[in-house]
Amino acid sequence: MVKATSESSLSESRPNAPTVYLETFGCQMNELDSELVEGHLTALGYRFTKRVGDADIVLYNTCSVREQAENKALSRVGQIGIRKREGHRIVLGVIGCMAEREGTAMIRKYPQIDLLCGPGELDKLPMLLDNVLRTGASTDADRAIDRIALQGSNARRTGTLQAAEDSLEMLDLSRAFDPDRAEAGGRSAYVRITRGCNKFCTYCVVPHTRGPEVHRTPDAIVEECRMLADRGVIEITLLGQTVNHYLYTHGSALTIEGREAPQVGPGLKAFRQSAAASSLGARTTTFADLLHRIHEEVPAVQRLRFVTSYPRDFTDDALRVMAESPRICNYLHVPAQSGSDRILKLMNRGYTRAEYLEFIDRARSFMPDVSIAGDIIVGFPTETEEDFELTRSLLRAVPFKNNFIFKYSPRPGTVAIDRFEDDVPDEVKRRRNNELLALQAEISADVHAR
Ligand code: SAH
Ligand code: SF4
Ligand code: F3S
């Protein structure tokens, strides 16, 4: 449970506690972040409302993964701007990936925004809110330092240090799961096992907005699962951008008190070397070990699953644990992104079509009934009809239960936007998108029938 900090000017006893409206865009990481933010602020005396019109504070937890996701949040920001100009007193906070990606420029462009908080700084949100509430809204972006918390471009250089003193870890550890919500059918929960990403697929903002890949300690993860199970949660989804790359080397990162601390994960190339080193003596907890531990130590969790898997480096050990553990779902969300080796290479995905298919075969040899889901991007720069045909044939080759299909969206700050022209016309992207949706619908119906 989060303790109210002494510097906070709010407390449970305060009758006119500000009312917060929080809306979430984007992925499960963001949904979890919003839940943690709500728990943290509730413990500090804030109240939450489902109606934006009733709120003193409006928070948008934003996503930057595609332009469309940003536009949705921006239209909400615009609406609040109108209400503020009409004289309504509202504190507007933009949190999450878009705050991190846009930075202070965002407050200059949209002066109705009172605070910005990146996904790596959410533990500081109560302090930022407190600052805004105490000093009132300011429109001077240059003097808004006390209401902005972003990792900025330093995030990667100081990654190691940051992981060691990871204050964000406290936010995950302190989650105030709401028993009322559990009663209302919310008997499932997310548990983060890694934060950030080191893969740098050329189209993707996530490594830029969420920072380096940090692996939480196995004890903290198991403890969190146990705590949730004690509160009635029966279904847990473990979260990580490339969740099967989870690897914790014991004894290498300690807190000042000598406890184990979260640690920065190896990059794509280093992963295999690091996994090899672990077989030479260092005590490690692999992804397979972690799944096994949660399954054995928290049997009250009846369904354990995880997203998102990366098609490379999924060990037989992990597949075996899945196959042999009755409470681990035989489900893999393992995005292929494309069926063309040429495009996969430009995407810097680090595997070929053949390697992807080999992984699917291997997974099915351990679990003949495994459900497979994925993501596909159509219209990546230079994608030809031949490349697209290879993606279609990949879909036909794998019994996908479903696929999320996205049109390529150039993202500022990524390698792809700098290096490749967005040369596939939108109508072509749309057609390819529709064709894949139709094909996937057939495949899904087929898989379902079987
Ligand atoms: N870590 C996960 C994906 C996280 S982002 C993985 O590597 O599989 C979720 C999905 O958004 C991606 O799988 C990808 O299909 C899509 N995506 C990411 N960036 C995109 C972009 N710039 N344009 C279109 N789709 C994108
Ligand atoms: Fe983005 Fe690639 Fe990391 Fe997934 S693995 S979050 S697509 S950079
Ligand atoms: Fe979006 Fe950030 Fe998730 S960019 S997909 S909210 S990690």
Side-chain angles (χ1 to χ4, degrees):
M1 196 48 88
V2 180
K3 282 195 219 83
T5 49
S6 53
E7 67 267 27
S8 171
S9 60
L10 293 162
S11 79
E12 304 251 14
S13 56
R14 195 169 145 143
N16 293 324
T19 303
V20 184
Y21 173 83
L22 169 60
E23 186 172 345
T24 309
F25 303 86
C27 65
Q28 294 108 324
M29 283 284 175
N30 258 17
E31 288 171 27
L32 172 56
D33 283 340
S34 285
E35 185 191 324
L36 297 176
V37 159
E38 184 168 341
H40 196 181
L41 292 178
T42 303
L44 291 170
Y46 291 86
R47 287 180 305 185
F48 279 76
T49 173
K50 300 245 178 291
R51 291 159 43 119
V52 65
D54 294 344
D56 310 303
I57 299 169
V58 175
L59 297 176
Y60 293 127
N61 192 5
T62 57
C63 172
S64 279
V65 81
R66 283 169 294 276
E67 194 182 4
Q68 207 190 357
E70 293 198 341
N71 286 343
K72 260 194 242 166
L74 286 179
S75 88
R76 303 284 203 284
V77 167
Q79 284 156 11
I80 299 296
I82 294 171
R83 291 190 49 213
K84 284 179 94 162
R85 285 193 293 279
E86 286 168 357
H88 293 275
R89 291 190 45 174
I90 303 164
V91 170
L92 174 60
V94 172
I95 65 177
C97 289
M98 194 175 176
E100 187 65 51
R101 193 191 71 67
E102 281 254 21
T104 34
M106 203 169 179
I107 288 198
R108 282 198 197 93
K109 255 190 272 176
Y110 307 96
Q112 66 266 41
I113 298 174
D114 296 296
L115 72 87
L116 286 177
C117 187
E121 305 287 317
L122 289 173
D123 55 309
K124 303 195 180 73
L125 182 61
M127 181 189 76
L128 302 179
L129 271 175
D130 225 36
N131 290 344
V132 176
L133 292 171
R134 267 191 287 107
T135 56
S138 152
T139 48
D140 186 348
D142 294 319
R143 292 175 52 208
I145 295 305
D146 62 345
R147 52 193 63 186
I148 295 173
L150 303 168
Q151 287 197 323
S153 52
N154 288 335
R156 292 214 160 255
R157 264 179 286 134
T158 59
T160 317
L161 250 184
Q162 220 158 4
E165 22 173 73
D166 203 354
S167 54
L168 250 195
E169 179 65 13
M170 294 314 294
L171 196 59
D172 281 79
L173 287 176
S174 70
R175 75 194 291 175
F177 193 79
D178 180 354
D180 294 340
R181 218 170 336 162
E183 292 289 297
R187 284 159 72 82
S188 57
Y190 295 122
V191 170
R192 196 173 343 248
I193 71 171
T194 64
R195 302 193 180 93
C197 185
N198 287 347
K199 303 302 173 295
F200 289 98
C201 302
T202 53
Y203 52 81
C204 185
V205 289
V206 174
H208 308 276
T209 60
R210 294 255 167 195
E213 189 174 288
V214 172
H215 299 226
R216 300 183 63 207
T217 74
D219 284 350
I221 295 165
V222 172
E223 208 32 62
E224 195 173 328
C225 293
R226 200 194 321 271
M227 182 273 288
L228 290 165
D230 286 348
R231 297 181 190 184
V233 166
I234 55 170
E235 178 176 289
I236 286 183
T237 304
L238 305 175
L239 299 184
Q241 294 298 349
T242 57
V243 73
N244 50 305
H245 269 179
Y246 180 82
L247 183 66
Y248 192 89
T249 304
H250 295 276
S252 69
L254 296 176
T255 63
I256 310 165
E257 302 89 44
R259 276 182 290 109
E260 286 188 329
Q263 59 188 220
V264 175
L268 183 58
K269 291 203 181 67
F271 179 81
R272 285 179 177 178
Q273 288 154 13
S274 161
S278 73
S279 64
L280 295 174
R283 196 167 71 81
T284 58
T285 296
T286 62
F287 182 58
D289 298 334
L290 182 70
L291 287 180
H292 184 70
R293 260 196 78 178
I294 300 171
H295 185 264
E296 297 306 307
E297 294 179 36
V298 199
V301 174
Q302 288 162 31
R303 282 187 295 277
L304 180 64
R305 55 177 125 231
F306 50 84
V307 290
T308 304
S309 295
Y310 179 66
R312 241 183 75 175
D313 307 318
F314 208 114
T315 63
D316 282 354
D317 284 349
L319 291 170
R320 195 171 300 114
V321 171
M322 286 178 77
E324 290 174 358
S325 308
R327 293 180 304 280
I328 300 182
C329 300
N330 288 353
Y331 168 81
L332 290 167
H333 184 114
V334 54
Q337 311 296 2
S338 169
S340 154
D341 283 343
R342 194 181 68 80
I343 296 292
L344 286 170
K345 194 154 191 201
L346 294 181
M347 288 176 164
N348 191 33
R349 282 293 283 180
Y351 53 84
T352 59
R353 172 193 176 94
E355 284 168 322
Y356 184 86
L357 291 172
E358 181 276 330
F359 168 62
I360 298 295
D361 279 349
R362 203 154 48 87
R364 295 182 75 199
S365 75
F366 280 89
M367 296 168 282
D369 63 339
V370 65
S371 310
I372 301 158
D375 301 349
I376 297 284
I377 296 176
V378 293
F380 190 81
T382 77
E383 186 186 69
T384 61
E385 288 303 323
E386 289 71 48
D387 293 315
F388 177 62
E389 188 45 46
L390 286 164
T391 299
R392 289 172 63 102
S393 75
L394 183 87
L395 252 62
R396 288 196 211 94
V398 176
F400 283 110
K401 187 171 162 252
N402 66 310
N403 253 301
F404 297 95
I405 297 156
F406 305 109
K407 292 188 297 175
Y408 169 69
S409 168
R411 305 312 298 134
T414 60
V415 167
I417 199 174
D418 289 340
R419 215 173 281 173
F420 316 118
E421 192 194 336
D422 180 21
D423 60 355
V424 179
D426 196 54
E427 65 266 24
V428 175
K429 286 183 188 166
R430 216 173 319 139
R431 173 177 54 75
R432 290 179 186 166
N433 189 61
N434 289 340
E435 282 185 33
L436 284 194
L437 284 174
L439 175 59
Q440 182 55 52
E442 280 172 35
I443 297 167
S444 299
D446 230 42
V447 169
H448 192 74
R450 263 184 284 144

